[in-house]
PDB file of all heavy atoms in Angstrom:
ATOM      1  N   GLU T 125     -17.166   0.346  24.095  1.00  0.00           N
ATOM      2  CA  GLU T 125     -18.097  -0.509  23.373  1.00  0.00           C
ATOM      3  C   GLU T 125     -17.300  -1.370  22.394  1.00  0.00           C
ATOM      4  O   GLU T 125     -16.353  -0.896  21.759  1.00  0.00           O
ATOM      5  CB  GLU T 125     -19.116   0.340  22.607  1.00  0.00           C
ATOM      6  CG  GLU T 125     -20.225  -0.453  21.951  1.00  0.00           C
ATOM      7  CD  GLU T 125     -21.219  -1.018  22.955  1.00  0.00           C
ATOM      8  OE1 GLU T 125     -21.330  -0.473  24.071  1.00  0.00           O
ATOM      9  OE2 GLU T 125     -21.900  -2.002  22.594  1.00  0.00           O
ATOM     10  N   ILE T 126     -17.694  -2.647  22.261  1.00  0.00           N
ATOM     11  CA  ILE T 126     -16.959  -3.575  21.407  1.00  0.00           C
ATOM     12  C   ILE T 126     -17.904  -4.132  20.348  1.00  0.00           C
ATOM     13  O   ILE T 126     -18.988  -4.641  20.668  1.00  0.00           O
ATOM     14  CB  ILE T 126     -16.350  -4.718  22.235  1.00  0.00           C
ATOM     15  CG1 ILE T 126     -15.392  -4.153  23.289  1.00  0.00           C
ATOM     16  CG2 ILE T 126     -15.618  -5.712  21.325  1.00  0.00           C
ATOM     17  CD1 ILE T 126     -14.848  -5.191  24.251  1.00  0.00           C
ATOM     18  N   GLY T 127     -17.487  -4.021  19.081  1.00  0.00           N
ATOM     19  CA  GLY T 127     -18.265  -4.536  17.966  1.00  0.00           C
ATOM     20  C   GLY T 127     -17.444  -5.464  17.095  1.00  0.00           C
ATOM     21  O   GLY T 127     -16.259  -5.703  17.337  1.00  0.00           O
ATOM     22  N   ASN T 128     -18.065  -5.974  16.059  1.00  0.00           N
ATOM     23  CA  ASN T 128     -17.493  -6.986  15.168  1.00  0.00           C
ATOM     24  C   ASN T 128     -17.112  -6.342  13.835  1.00  0.00           C
ATOM     25  O   ASN T 128     -17.881  -5.562  13.268  1.00  0.00           O
ATOM     26  CB  ASN T 128     -18.558  -8.081  14.948  1.00  0.00           C
ATOM     27  CG  ASN T 128     -18.031  -9.313  14.265  1.00  0.00           C
ATOM     28  OD1 ASN T 128     -17.238  -9.256  13.342  1.00  0.00           O
ATOM     29  ND2 ASN T 128     -18.518 -10.469  14.720  1.00  0.00           N
ATOM     30  N   HIS T 129     -15.922  -6.677  13.341  1.00  0.00           N
ATOM     31  CA  HIS T 129     -15.473  -6.154  12.042  1.00  0.00           C
ATOM     32  C   HIS T 129     -15.085  -7.281  11.085  1.00  0.00           C
ATOM     33  O   HIS T 129     -14.299  -7.078  10.166  1.00  0.00           O
ATOM     34  CB  HIS T 129     -14.299  -5.201  12.250  1.00  0.00           C
ATOM     35  CG  HIS T 129     -13.991  -4.332  11.062  1.00  0.00           C
ATOM     36  ND1 HIS T 129     -14.965  -3.692  10.326  1.00  0.00           N
ATOM     37  CD2 HIS T 129     -12.804  -3.991  10.480  1.00  0.00           C
ATOM     38  CE1 HIS T 129     -14.390  -2.994   9.350  1.00  0.00           C
ATOM     39  NE2 HIS T 129     -13.081  -3.175   9.419  1.00  0.00           N
ATOM     40  N   THR T 130     -15.640  -8.473  11.312  1.00  0.00           N
ATOM     41  CA  THR T 130     -15.483  -9.679  10.505  1.00  0.00           C
ATOM     42  C   THR T 130     -14.132 -10.352  10.742  1.00  0.00           C
ATOM     43  O   THR T 130     -13.203  -9.772  11.289  1.00  0.00           O
ATOM     44  CB  THR T 130     -15.666  -9.442   8.985  1.00  0.00           C
ATOM     45  OG1 THR T 130     -14.525  -8.794   8.435  1.00  0.00           O
ATOM     46  CG2 THR T 130     -16.927  -8.651   8.715  1.00  0.00           C
ATOM     47  N   TRP T 131     -14.061 -11.594  10.295  1.00  0.00           N
ATOM     48  CA  TRP T 131     -12.868 -12.406  10.486  1.00  0.00           C
ATOM     49  C   TRP T 131     -11.721 -11.981   9.570  1.00  0.00           C
ATOM     50  O   TRP T 131     -10.606 -11.786  10.004  1.00  0.00           O
ATOM     51  CB  TRP T 131     -13.198 -13.881  10.243  1.00  0.00           C
ATOM     52  CG  TRP T 131     -12.009 -14.782  10.390  1.00  0.00           C
ATOM     53  CD1 TRP T 131     -11.290 -15.385   9.387  1.00  0.00           C
ATOM     54  CD2 TRP T 131     -11.377 -15.166  11.607  1.00  0.00           C
ATOM     55  NE1 TRP T 131     -10.259 -16.118   9.908  1.00  0.00           N
ATOM     56  CE2 TRP T 131     -10.293 -16.002  11.277  1.00  0.00           C
ATOM     57  CE3 TRP T 131     -11.620 -14.874  12.947  1.00  0.00           C
ATOM     58  CZ2 TRP T 131      -9.446 -16.567  12.237  1.00  0.00           C
ATOM     59  CZ3 TRP T 131     -10.786 -15.441  13.913  1.00  0.00           C
ATOM     60  CH2 TRP T 131      -9.723 -16.267  13.554  1.00  0.00           C
ATOM     61  N   SER T 132     -12.002 -11.801   8.271  1.00  0.00           N
ATOM     62  CA  SER T 132     -10.907 -11.546   7.327  1.00  0.00           C
ATOM     63  C   SER T 132     -11.135 -10.336   6.428  1.00  0.00           C
ATOM     64  O   SER T 132     -10.514 -10.210   5.378  1.00  0.00           O
ATOM     65  CB  SER T 132     -10.654 -12.783   6.463  1.00  0.00           C
ATOM     66  OG  SER T 132     -11.809 -13.128   5.715  1.00  0.00           O
ATOM     67  N   HIS T 133     -12.045  -9.433   6.846  1.00  0.00           N
ATOM     68  CA  HIS T 133     -12.211  -8.139   6.176  1.00  0.00           C
ATOM     69  C   HIS T 133     -12.612  -8.269   4.706  1.00  0.00           C
ATOM     70  O   HIS T 133     -12.148  -7.526   3.839  1.00  0.00           O
ATOM     71  CB  HIS T 133     -10.926  -7.307   6.302  1.00  0.00           C
ATOM     72  CG  HIS T 133     -11.176  -5.835   6.291  1.00  0.00           C
ATOM     73  ND1 HIS T 133     -11.011  -5.057   5.153  1.00  0.00           N
ATOM     74  CD2 HIS T 133     -11.574  -4.976   7.266  1.00  0.00           C
ATOM     75  CE1 HIS T 133     -11.279  -3.790   5.443  1.00  0.00           C
ATOM     76  NE2 HIS T 133     -11.628  -3.721   6.705  1.00  0.00           N
ATOM     77  N   GLN T 134     -13.520  -9.176   4.417  1.00  0.00           N
ATOM     78  CA  GLN T 134     -14.011  -9.330   3.054  1.00  0.00           C
ATOM     79  C   GLN T 134     -15.221  -8.435   2.802  1.00  0.00           C
ATOM     80  O   GLN T 134     -15.952  -8.082   3.724  1.00  0.00           O
ATOM     81  CB  GLN T 134     -14.400 -10.787   2.795  1.00  0.00           C
ATOM     82  CG  GLN T 134     -13.251 -11.761   2.851  1.00  0.00           C
ATOM     83  CD  GLN T 134     -13.658 -13.134   2.373  1.00  0.00           C
ATOM     84  OE1 GLN T 134     -14.212 -13.303   1.274  1.00  0.00           O
ATOM     85  NE2 GLN T 134     -13.408 -14.143   3.190  1.00  0.00           N
ATOM     86  N   ASP T 135     -15.423  -8.106   1.550  1.00  0.00           N
ATOM     87  CA  ASP T 135     -16.608  -7.360   1.121  1.00  0.00           C
ATOM     88  C   ASP T 135     -17.820  -8.276   1.273  1.00  0.00           C
ATOM     89  O   ASP T 135     -17.972  -9.256   0.535  1.00  0.00           O
ATOM     90  CB  ASP T 135     -16.424  -6.931  -0.331  1.00  0.00           C
ATOM     91  CG  ASP T 135     -17.596  -6.117  -0.873  1.00  0.00           C
ATOM     92  OD1 ASP T 135     -18.682  -6.127  -0.253  1.00  0.00           O
ATOM     93  OD2 ASP T 135     -17.421  -5.491  -1.932  1.00  0.00           O
ATOM     94  N   LEU T 136     -18.681  -7.970   2.222  1.00  0.00           N
ATOM     95  CA  LEU T 136     -19.801  -8.852   2.520  1.00  0.00           C
ATOM     96  C   LEU T 136     -20.821  -8.917   1.389  1.00  0.00           C
ATOM     97  O   LEU T 136     -21.571  -9.892   1.288  1.00  0.00           O
ATOM     98  CB  LEU T 136     -20.489  -8.407   3.818  1.00  0.00           C
ATOM     99  CG  LEU T 136     -19.622  -8.448   5.080  1.00  0.00           C
ATOM    100  CD1 LEU T 136     -20.451  -8.031   6.293  1.00  0.00           C
ATOM    101  CD2 LEU T 136     -18.994  -9.810   5.296  1.00  0.00           C
ATOM    102  N   THR T 137     -20.863  -7.895   0.538  1.00  0.00           N
ATOM    103  CA  THR T 137     -21.826  -7.908  -0.567  1.00  0.00           C
ATOM    104  C   THR T 137     -21.462  -8.946  -1.626  1.00  0.00           C
ATOM    105  O   THR T 137     -22.280  -9.250  -2.498  1.00  0.00           O
ATOM    106  CB  THR T 137     -21.939  -6.522  -1.231  1.00  0.00           C
ATOM    107  OG1 THR T 137     -20.684  -6.178  -1.841  1.00  0.00           O
ATOM    108  CG2 THR T 137     -22.322  -5.459  -0.213  1.00  0.00           C
ATOM    109  N   LYS T 138     -20.256  -9.485  -1.555  1.00  0.00           N
ATOM    110  CA  LYS T 138     -19.820 -10.504  -2.512  1.00  0.00           C
ATOM    111  C   LYS T 138     -19.939 -11.912  -1.944  1.00  0.00           C
ATOM    112  O   LYS T 138     -19.520 -12.882  -2.587  1.00  0.00           O
ATOM    113  CB  LYS T 138     -18.377 -10.219  -2.934  1.00  0.00           C
ATOM    114  CG  LYS T 138     -18.214  -8.891  -3.659  1.00  0.00           C
ATOM    115  CD  LYS T 138     -16.774  -8.637  -4.051  1.00  0.00           C
ATOM    116  CE  LYS T 138     -16.640  -7.297  -4.779  1.00  0.00           C
ATOM    117  NZ  LYS T 138     -15.227  -7.011  -5.157  1.00  0.00           N
ATOM    118  N   LEU T 139     -20.505 -12.030  -0.737  1.00  0.00           N
ATOM    119  CA  LEU T 139     -20.631 -13.325  -0.080  1.00  0.00           C
ATOM    120  C   LEU T 139     -22.094 -13.728   0.049  1.00  0.00           C
ATOM    121  O   LEU T 139     -22.980 -12.876   0.108  1.00  0.00           O
ATOM    122  CB  LEU T 139     -20.002 -13.256   1.318  1.00  0.00           C
ATOM    123  CG  LEU T 139     -18.549 -12.773   1.412  1.00  0.00           C
ATOM    124  CD1 LEU T 139     -18.098 -12.801   2.867  1.00  0.00           C
ATOM    125  CD2 LEU T 139     -17.624 -13.611   0.533  1.00  0.00           C
ATOM    126  N   ASP T 140     -22.331 -15.033   0.116  1.00  0.00           N
ATOM    127  CA  ASP T 140     -23.693 -15.501   0.390  1.00  0.00           C
ATOM    128  C   ASP T 140     -23.909 -15.552   1.900  1.00  0.00           C
ATOM    129  O   ASP T 140     -22.980 -15.282   2.689  1.00  0.00           O
ATOM    130  CB  ASP T 140     -23.970 -16.851  -0.270  1.00  0.00           C
ATOM    131  CG  ASP T 140     -23.060 -17.983   0.224  1.00  0.00           C
ATOM    132  OD1 ASP T 140     -22.591 -17.920   1.393  1.00  0.00           O
ATOM    133  OD2 ASP T 140     -22.840 -18.941  -0.537  1.00  0.00           O
ATOM    134  N   ALA T 141     -25.118 -15.890   2.317  1.00  0.00           N
ATOM    135  CA  ALA T 141     -25.466 -15.840   3.736  1.00  0.00           C
ATOM    136  C   ALA T 141     -24.569 -16.749   4.569  1.00  0.00           C
ATOM    137  O   ALA T 141     -24.136 -16.378   5.667  1.00  0.00           O
ATOM    138  CB  ALA T 141     -26.931 -16.204   3.930  1.00  0.00           C
ATOM    139  N   LYS T 142     -24.269 -17.935   4.073  1.00  0.00           N
ATOM    140  CA  LYS T 142     -23.418 -18.869   4.806  1.00  0.00           C
ATOM    141  C   LYS T 142     -22.013 -18.308   4.978  1.00  0.00           C
ATOM    142  O   LYS T 142     -21.407 -18.409   6.047  1.00  0.00           O
ATOM    143  CB  LYS T 142     -23.370 -20.208   4.083  1.00  0.00           C
ATOM    144  CG  LYS T 142     -22.557 -21.265   4.812  1.00  0.00           C
ATOM    145  CD  LYS T 142     -22.600 -22.593   4.069  1.00  0.00           C
ATOM    146  CE  LYS T 142     -21.757 -23.651   4.785  1.00  0.00           C
ATOM    147  NZ  LYS T 142     -21.801 -24.969   4.049  1.00  0.00           N
ATOM    148  N   GLN T 143     -21.501 -17.691   3.932  1.00  0.00           N
ATOM    149  CA  GLN T 143     -20.162 -17.110   3.998  1.00  0.00           C
ATOM    150  C   GLN T 143     -20.113 -15.906   4.936  1.00  0.00           C
ATOM    151  O   GLN T 143     -19.125 -15.698   5.637  1.00  0.00           O
ATOM    152  CB  GLN T 143     -19.703 -16.717   2.591  1.00  0.00           C
ATOM    153  CG  GLN T 143     -19.445 -17.900   1.677  1.00  0.00           C
ATOM    154  CD  GLN T 143     -19.245 -17.481   0.230  1.00  0.00           C
ATOM    155  OE1 GLN T 143     -19.917 -16.569  -0.272  1.00  0.00           O
ATOM    156  NE2 GLN T 143     -18.328 -18.147  -0.456  1.00  0.00           N
ATOM    157  N   ILE T 144     -21.178 -15.112   4.951  1.00  0.00           N
ATOM    158  CA  ILE T 144     -21.239 -13.974   5.871  1.00  0.00           C
ATOM    159  C   ILE T 144     -21.216 -14.476   7.308  1.00  0.00           C
ATOM    160  O   ILE T 144     -20.478 -13.942   8.156  1.00  0.00           O
ATOM    161  CB  ILE T 144     -22.497 -13.129   5.608  1.00  0.00           C
ATOM    162  CG1 ILE T 144     -22.395 -12.431   4.256  1.00  0.00           C
ATOM    163  CG2 ILE T 144     -22.688 -12.086   6.729  1.00  0.00           C
ATOM    164  CD1 ILE T 144     -23.667 -11.726   3.831  1.00  0.00           C
ATOM    165  N   ARG T 145     -21.986 -15.502   7.585  1.00  0.00           N
ATOM    166  CA  ARG T 145     -21.982 -16.074   8.934  1.00  0.00           C
ATOM    167  C   ARG T 145     -20.591 -16.553   9.328  1.00  0.00           C
ATOM    168  O   ARG T 145     -20.164 -16.389  10.476  1.00  0.00           O
ATOM    169  CB  ARG T 145     -22.983 -17.228   9.019  1.00  0.00           C
ATOM    170  CG  ARG T 145     -24.434 -16.776   8.993  1.00  0.00           C
ATOM    171  CD  ARG T 145     -25.374 -17.983   8.992  1.00  0.00           C
ATOM    172  NE  ARG T 145     -26.771 -17.563   8.986  1.00  0.00           N
ATOM    173  CZ  ARG T 145     -27.492 -17.324  10.063  1.00  0.00           C
ATOM    174  NH1 ARG T 145     -26.945 -17.473  11.264  1.00  0.00           N
ATOM    175  NH2 ARG T 145     -28.750 -16.939   9.978  1.00  0.00           N
ATOM    176  N   ALA T 146     -19.876 -17.135   8.376  1.00  0.00           N
ATOM    177  CA  ALA T 146     -18.523 -17.621   8.653  1.00  0.00           C
ATOM    178  C   ALA T 146     -17.561 -16.474   8.943  1.00  0.00           C
ATOM    179  O   ALA T 146     -16.574 -16.649   9.677  1.00  0.00           O
ATOM    180  CB  ALA T 146     -18.011 -18.453   7.469  1.00  0.00           C
ATOM    181  N   GLU T 147     -17.836 -15.307   8.390  1.00  0.00           N
ATOM    182  CA  GLU T 147     -17.013 -14.122   8.668  1.00  0.00           C
ATOM    183  C   GLU T 147     -17.352 -13.508  10.028  1.00  0.00           C
ATOM    184  O   GLU T 147     -16.498 -12.906  10.673  1.00  0.00           O
ATOM    185  CB  GLU T 147     -17.235 -13.071   7.575  1.00  0.00           C
ATOM    186  CG  GLU T 147     -16.433 -13.302   6.319  1.00  0.00           C
ATOM    187  CD  GLU T 147     -14.951 -13.053   6.554  1.00  0.00           C
ATOM    188  OE1 GLU T 147     -14.581 -11.949   6.987  1.00  0.00           O
ATOM    189  OE2 GLU T 147     -14.160 -13.981   6.309  1.00  0.00           O
ATOM    190  N   ILE T 148     -18.578 -13.662  10.458  1.00  0.00           N
ATOM    191  CA  ILE T 148     -19.056 -12.993  11.669  1.00  0.00           C
ATOM    192  C   ILE T 148     -18.882 -13.838  12.930  1.00  0.00           C
ATOM    193  O   ILE T 148     -18.399 -13.369  13.967  1.00  0.00           O
ATOM    194  CB  ILE T 148     -20.537 -12.609  11.511  1.00  0.00           C
ATOM    195  CG1 ILE T 148     -20.712 -11.558  10.402  1.00  0.00           C
ATOM    196  CG2 ILE T 148     -21.103 -12.093  12.836  1.00  0.00           C
ATOM    197  CD1 ILE T 148     -20.045 -10.235  10.678  1.00  0.00           C
ATOM    198  N   GLN T 149     -19.293 -15.098  12.856  1.00  0.00           N
ATOM    199  CA  GLN T 149     -19.435 -15.885  14.080  1.00  0.00           C
ATOM    200  C   GLN T 149     -18.140 -16.113  14.854  1.00  0.00           C
ATOM    201  O   GLN T 149     -18.149 -16.040  16.097  1.00  0.00           O
ATOM    202  CB  GLN T 149     -20.099 -17.232  13.766  1.00  0.00           C
ATOM    203  CG  GLN T 149     -20.687 -17.891  15.005  1.00  0.00           C
ATOM    204  CD  GLN T 149     -21.732 -17.014  15.691  1.00  0.00           C
ATOM    205  OE1 GLN T 149     -22.702 -16.586  15.064  1.00  0.00           O
ATOM    206  NE2 GLN T 149     -21.523 -16.713  16.973  1.00  0.00           N
ATOM    207  N   PRO T 150     -16.997 -16.368  14.198  1.00  0.00           N
ATOM    208  CA  PRO T 150     -15.779 -16.573  14.982  1.00  0.00           C
ATOM    209  C   PRO T 150     -15.393 -15.351  15.825  1.00  0.00           C
ATOM    210  O   PRO T 150     -14.898 -15.498  16.946  1.00  0.00           O
ATOM    211  CB  PRO T 150     -14.715 -16.874  13.923  1.00  0.00           C
ATOM    212  CG  PRO T 150     -15.467 -17.403  12.756  1.00  0.00           C
ATOM    213  CD  PRO T 150     -16.759 -16.634  12.761  1.00  0.00           C
ATOM    214  N   VAL T 151     -15.633 -14.168  15.300  1.00  0.00           N
ATOM    215  CA  VAL T 151     -15.306 -12.954  16.052  1.00  0.00           C
ATOM    216  C   VAL T 151     -16.285 -12.785  17.209  1.00  0.00           C
ATOM    217  O   VAL T 151     -15.889 -12.404  18.316  1.00  0.00           O
ATOM    218  CB  VAL T 151     -15.316 -11.721  15.125  1.00  0.00           C
ATOM    219  CG1 VAL T 151     -14.861 -10.484  15.889  1.00  0.00           C
ATOM    220  CG2 VAL T 151     -14.412 -11.949  13.914  1.00  0.00           C
ATOM    221  N   GLN T 152     -17.564 -13.077  16.953  1.00  0.00           N
ATOM    222  CA  GLN T 152     -18.546 -13.059  18.041  1.00  0.00           C
ATOM    223  C   GLN T 152     -18.091 -13.982  19.168  1.00  0.00           C
ATOM    224  O   GLN T 152     -18.140 -13.613  20.357  1.00  0.00           O
ATOM    225  CB  GLN T 152     -19.916 -13.517  17.529  1.00  0.00           C
ATOM    226  CG  GLN T 152     -20.600 -12.591  16.540  1.00  0.00           C
ATOM    227  CD  GLN T 152     -21.106 -11.303  17.169  1.00  0.00           C
ATOM    228  OE1 GLN T 152     -20.409 -10.286  17.165  1.00  0.00           O
ATOM    229  NE2 GLN T 152     -22.300 -11.351  17.729  1.00  0.00           N
ATOM    230  N   ASN T 153     -17.645 -15.170  18.792  1.00  0.00           N
ATOM    231  CA  ASN T 153     -17.231 -16.155  19.788  1.00  0.00           C
ATOM    232  C   ASN T 153     -16.014 -15.684  20.575  1.00  0.00           C
ATOM    233  O   ASN T 153     -15.962 -15.831  21.809  1.00  0.00           O
ATOM    234  CB  ASN T 153     -16.919 -17.488  19.113  1.00  0.00           C
ATOM    235  CG  ASN T 153     -18.154 -18.127  18.488  1.00  0.00           C
ATOM    236  OD1 ASN T 153     -19.281 -17.759  18.805  1.00  0.00           O
ATOM    237  ND2 ASN T 153     -17.935 -19.072  17.604  1.00  0.00           N
ATOM    238  N   ASP T 154     -15.018 -15.113  19.878  1.00  0.00           N
ATOM    239  CA  ASP T 154     -13.800 -14.636  20.552  1.00  0.00           C
ATOM    240  C   ASP T 154     -14.135 -13.536  21.561  1.00  0.00           C
ATOM    241  O   ASP T 154     -13.620 -13.523  22.683  1.00  0.00           O
ATOM    242  CB  ASP T 154     -12.798 -14.100  19.528  1.00  0.00           C
ATOM    243  CG  ASP T 154     -12.084 -15.206  18.762  1.00  0.00           C
ATOM    244  OD1 ASP T 154     -12.170 -16.374  19.188  1.00  0.00           O
ATOM    245  OD2 ASP T 154     -11.452 -14.886  17.742  1.00  0.00           O
ATOM    246  N   ILE T 155     -14.986 -12.602  21.146  1.00  0.00           N
ATOM    247  CA  ILE T 155     -15.322 -11.483  22.028  1.00  0.00           C
ATOM    248  C   ILE T 155     -16.144 -11.966  23.218  1.00  0.00           C
ATOM    249  O   ILE T 155     -15.908 -11.550  24.361  1.00  0.00           O
ATOM    250  CB  ILE T 155     -16.053 -10.380  21.239  1.00  0.00           C
ATOM    251  CG1 ILE T 155     -15.119  -9.777  20.181  1.00  0.00           C
ATOM    252  CG2 ILE T 155     -16.564  -9.280  22.189  1.00  0.00           C
ATOM    253  CD1 ILE T 155     -15.793  -8.833  19.208  1.00  0.00           C
TER     254      ILE T 155
END
Side-chain angles (χ1 to χ4, degrees):
E125 187 72 23
I126 300 174
N128 191 320
H129 195 44
T130 75
W131 179 255
S132 60
H133 209 261
Q134 295 189 53
D135 181 344
L136 298 182
T137 64
K138 297 180 180 179
L139 306 181
D140 62 28
K142 183 178 179 180
Q143 292 169 322
I144 292 172
R145 288 176 179 271
E147 278 290 303
I148 295 296
Q149 199 59 55
V151 185
Q152 293 289 93
N153 294 343
D154 284 347
I155 295 171

